[in-house]
Amino acid sequence: MSFWTAPRSGSRLRMLSIGRASNVLYPVFFFVLFMSIWEIWVRAAHVSKVILPPPSAIAKQLGIFDQLWPDLWVTLQRIIEGFLLAAVVGFVLAIGIVTFRPFARSVFPVLIATQVIPKLAIAPLFLIWFGYGGWSTILIVFLLAFFPIVINTVLGLRTIEVEKMYLARSVGAGWIATFLRIRLPNALPSVFGGLKLAALLAVNGAVVAEFISSTSGIGHVILGAAGDNDIVRLFVAVGYLSLGGLLIFLVMEIAERYSIPWHVSRRDYVSVAPPANSRAL
Amino acid sequence: MIAAPNRRPSRLPALREKLLDVSYPAVAVAVLLAGWELWVRLTHQPRYIMVPFSDVITACWDGRGQLLHHTWVTTLESIYGFALAAAIGIPLAFAIVSLRPVQKGIFPLVVVYHVIPTIAIAPLLSTWFGFGLTPKLLIVANFAFFPIMLNTIIGLRSTQPLQVQLFRVTGANTWQTFWKLRMPNALPQIFVGLKIASTLAVIGAVVAEYVSASAGLGYYVLLANGNLDTKSLMTGVVYLSILGSLFFGAMQIIERVATPWHLSQRSPIGR
């Protein structure tokens, strides 16, 4: 009841940090509770397997990983390729925006304005342009992941105290030294916020792209399973896809911890979804 | 270079700066659109690859009857789903903030749930709830729910300890503290979440219509894609962009009415 009785500005809930046992036990308890209710309800109400299978039936079928792996791997490759492309292009563009003032003035507002366009709505156009193979999926992933990376990098590079720049100048640092030693480290928390959001969007984007049209990939498998009313297969596919998505997210999380150890200590759960990227999809 | 140390804020050319801030993006957009128009016309792109910008605008007007019908369907799906997301997200945030077991047990699960691509279970919702409105508003709610919940939590937690202590000193009870201090204090942040969710709701509706639909702008876009009708596809995207902006604008107006005291503090980007 700390919220009501003892307000302290320092009390924060930290994600992915296993401090005390209760931090683990509580979620596990609720997870088990949720699964038990599901299991008991399905068995007691005799819900058809075509509608909703019990968790135990899904768990038994986890072994079809061998069948799913080729499609899952195809999707993960597309996600990673699109994501890396977005990271490289986004980062270069962000540096350009921060460095050249006319460029910033003309391009950055337009970039923000294009956030109004629902990117998943132009996804079908990519199929016409780039065919029904992997490239359209990669480029849709790129399209979704690109914007949060650019915008967060620009915001991160811009929010720097003038005093730090004065200091850099007074010790005679050149432009490159200032950028590498001061601006970039200063921007990294924001950059990683963008990268993590982009990683989530990349997974979603790949699935939607494969829904729209694809002959391979886990999205294709999921849609096929739904069409066959094979709900167990659908759940298993979604489960493995989620694991893949979580893995990508965790890689970003670990990379963040290694590259900016000074920041993690005062970070809270908020960084998972920065509100700055209001129109991310 | 932004924030170069020797760049002092000059007073006189403020108007000039403002003018440049508007004209640069305007020129960039004009160049972009002109480039699009000229590229398509001069290189004689096939109509299924790309159509000139002017054709898209004309088609937006010519096909307005049909397009408005589809827009209305998508609008209803978005509004219902958005309302559901707010009805779940805000009370859940209250519970997370006030009850420790919920905070420690449910919140991590909700975060993990958000990280997994829930779009993937969209086809399942059609199996459960048919092809009507129900599966669509559930998908929309699924999209819109997380930012609402997260921002409500942030808002409720951001109350100044000194203010809480003042309330306690003056003898306010928990209920009064909540309605007169914590809630008004959290409202701006709650609206941040609602604004984010408003655009996500439209996107959720589009994805829901991709999966299964017989009307709506997502359906329209996918149908146009199937017919290799790029012009219709682009008009659908234009209508969707306008719909998303209207949703966002509507939330901004509601925000202004609900939190008039906060306007002065808000940044112009509408964060």
Side-chain angles (χ1 to χ4, degrees), chain A residues 4 22 51 116 120 129 279, chain B residues 49 98 104 128 210 245 248:
Chain A
W4 300 108
S22 64
I51 301 294
V116 176
L120 288 177
W129 289 345
R279 285 143 178 223
Chain B
I49 295 285
S98 50
K104 289 202 135 184
W128 289 346
Y210 279 175
S245 307
F248 194 81

Side-chain angles (χ1 to χ4, degrees), chain A residues 37-49:
Chain A
I37 292 172
W38 177 358
E39 179 87 31
I40 292 166
W41 176 67
V42 168
R43 283 180 188 279
H46 297 292
V47 179
S48 161
K49 271 203 167 180

